[in-house]
Amino acid sequence: MEPGRPGGSGPAEPGPLPRGVCGAGPAASASSLSGAEAQIQRCALAVAAVLPAGGRGERMGVPTPKQFCPILERPLISYTLQALERLCWINDIVVAVTGENMDAMKGIIQRYQHKRISLVEAGVTRHRSIFNGLKALAEGQPDAQLSKPEVVIIHDAVRPFVEEDILLKVVTAAKEHGCSDYDLEFGTECLQLALKYCHIKAKLVEGSPDLWKVTYKQDLYAAESIIKERISEQICIVMDTEEDEAHVGHHFEEMLKNELNHVKVTSGSLCHPGRDLQQIILEQCYNFVCVNVKTSEFEETQKLLDVLKESNISILYPVVVISVHFLDHKSVPIGQEMENLMQIREFAKEVKKRNILLCGLLIYYPQEKQKLQDSLRQGAIIIANLIKERNSGLVGQLLVA
């Protein structure tokens, strides 16, 4: 596959969904699938993947092998595993790592709840690592827990943005054209070897712009930027819908929708958290704006944090929660209100351990319509920046619009 470079469209939302949801789910009908995916299911084609991950990443210029370098405090290889295991038609994923990194890899699998992953010892070269992965998938291996596949996808551990349609094309091409079973020492990707030794018409599948390889240190920053952009494309506004529709919170919700026209803004309710809010979480929303209609209390925010902690969604990406409070400065002394709202520091310390980034936003509630509109607009801008940057340094801060 031909790799692209940073700067294309964002990656597809990779990875296992919360509570074990995978892809479209087992109930998805063949009519809703792409042609290639439907063909895989109809033919009951057994597919596996092998990820060579034994490299040192010397070109990265850092002591940690690049596949274990953190992006948003999570190892790069975890994103790649997530992109593959979200595809239910890939039965097994074999990762080849060096002995010295075996325990670290096991820790990553456990911490981020990766499924269908098996580990093998890496070889002295990349192609020997691939060979070891293929041996683990072959029949007759001692203590084998893996089923023998008909097609094996070989994928770099440091290409986290692979799209499902590309993998489907590769699997279909492999089934139709075949590939070389020999000369693993010299290169499994070499079409010349497939033609020379197997007399098989191998096929090159063009890659997408996002199928680029993290090689240098600046690539880590590019990957982080793409991931941040992707997970910032949806915001859920949580508010007690039973409150007065004329409340300023509803005006703020409309302002957010108008100002963030490039972001999908949805509404959730804590009145029935088992319904709409849970569905939004299952759709992998990582940004929440909780509007507290009772200015001096964090009751609504606390309810939301409890729901998010139970969902475990923050295992995969940092979740941003912005607790919004309104202050009518004519009726409540500013000093008293600020003192009450500084409780957010304690909440933030607790939930940061769960990868939830909590900060507060205080919006003055003047009576003059134009001033109110300006405050609401400024609040929307602050929220947009907080979600896009995901700056952990602002955790526990109370910002004023």
Side-chain angles (χ1 to χ4, degrees), residues 120-368:
V120 297
E121 186 90 17
V124 294
T125 66
R126 179 180 187 276
H127 302 103
R128 278 292 154 189
S129 294
I130 294 172
F131 183 65
N132 290 348
L134 294 176
K135 282 199 301 182
L137 290 166
E139 285 185 327
Q141 293 298 315
D143 303 321
Q145 302 295 321
L146 306 172
S147 57
K148 184 177 180 180
E150 297 172 74
V151 173
V152 180
I153 298 169
I154 310 299
H155 184 70
D156 288 331
V158 290
R159 295 187 193 268
F161 301 141
V162 60
E163 300 280 0
E164 180 176 11
D165 61 340
I166 291 295
L167 294 177
L168 287 169
K169 290 177 182 178
V170 169
V171 170
T172 303
K175 182 64 176 177
E176 292 177 355
H177 298 277
C179 60
S180 173
D181 292 330
Y182 307 103
D183 284 348
L184 289 169
E185 197 67 53
F186 302 101
T188 54
E189 299 81 29
C190 183
L191 303 184
Q192 295 284 347
L193 290 176
L195 293 169
K196 179 179 179 180
Y197 291 102
C198 297
H199 306 290
I200 290 173
K201 184 181 178 183
K203 182 178 180 180
L204 176 67
V205 177
E206 294 290 341
S208 65
D210 290 321
L211 192 61
W212 53 275
K213 183 178 181 180
V214 174
T215 304
Y216 303 102
K217 195 171 183 179
Q218 58 265 33
D219 293 337
L220 289 174
Y221 303 131
E224 180 175 302
S225 178
I226 290 176
I227 292 170
K228 281 183 177 181
E229 180 181 355
R230 181 61 180 176
I231 61 178
S232 299
E233 291 179 349
Q234 181 175 355
I235 298 174
C236 175
I237 302 173
V238 179
M239 184 166 48
D240 189 347
T241 56
E242 295 179 357
E243 292 293 328
D244 182 4
E245 292 293 325
H247 190 274
V248 66
H250 294 283
H251 295 296
F252 185 55
E253 180 178 357
E254 291 303 314
M255 180 64 70
L256 276 173
K257 291 179 179 178
N258 291 334
E259 290 294 316
L260 306 178
N261 52 21
H262 61 289
V263 175
K264 180 182 178 183
V265 180
T266 57
S267 298
S269 173
L270 287 165
C271 299
H272 307 285
R275 295 207 296 261
D276 54 347
L277 187 56
Q278 287 289 1
Q279 183 58 41
I280 290 169
I281 291 174
L282 285 174
E283 292 171 357
Q284 300 191 81
C285 178
Y286 297 95
N287 311 289
F288 295 85
V289 176
C290 186
V291 179
N292 294 265
V293 293
K294 295 181 179 180
T295 313
S296 60
E297 297 183 9
F298 282 92
E299 183 177 350
E300 298 299 308
T301 299
Q302 186 63 65
K303 289 179 182 177
L304 174 61
L305 293 174
D306 290 342
V307 172
L308 292 174
K309 286 189 288 186
E310 290 177 6
S311 74
N312 279 336
I313 190 175
S314 58
I315 288 176
L316 301 179
Y317 298 100
V319 174
V320 174
V321 176
I322 301 168
S323 182
V324 179
H325 304 262
F326 295 96
L327 171 62
D328 184 348
H329 63 280
K330 293 183 179 180
S331 60
V332 181
I334 294 179
Q336 176 185 332
E337 189 59 37
M338 292 293 287
E339 183 177 347
N340 292 337
L341 292 178
M342 290 316 295
Q343 299 176 48
I344 196 170
R345 292 179 177 175
E346 297 305 316
F347 287 128
K349 288 179 184 177
E350 177 189 349
V351 298
K352 189 178 181 182
K353 300 173 185 176
R354 304 290 295 269
N355 206 24
I356 299 175
L357 309 180
L358 171 66
C359 57
L361 177 62
L362 177 60
I363 298 179
Y364 289 118
Y365 184 16
Q367 299 301 316
E368 186 179 332

Side-chain angles (χ1 to χ4, degrees), residues 16 49 51 77-78 80-86 90-97 102 105-106 108-110 112-120 137 145-146:
L51 271 66
I77 193 172
S78 176
T80 308
L81 291 176
Q82 195 181 359
L84 293 176
E85 67 184 343
R86 69 183 286 267
I90 297 180
N91 298 327
D92 298 297
I93 302 169
V94 179
V95 182
V97 295
M102 189 68 71
M105 192 67 235
K106 290 178 180 178
I108 291 170
I109 293 171
Q110 181 178 11
Y112 299 105
Q113 300 183 8
H114 292 299
K115 308 297 181 184
R116 313 195 307 276
I117 312 296
S118 299
L119 302 181
V120 297
L137 290 166
Q145 302 295 321
L146 306 172

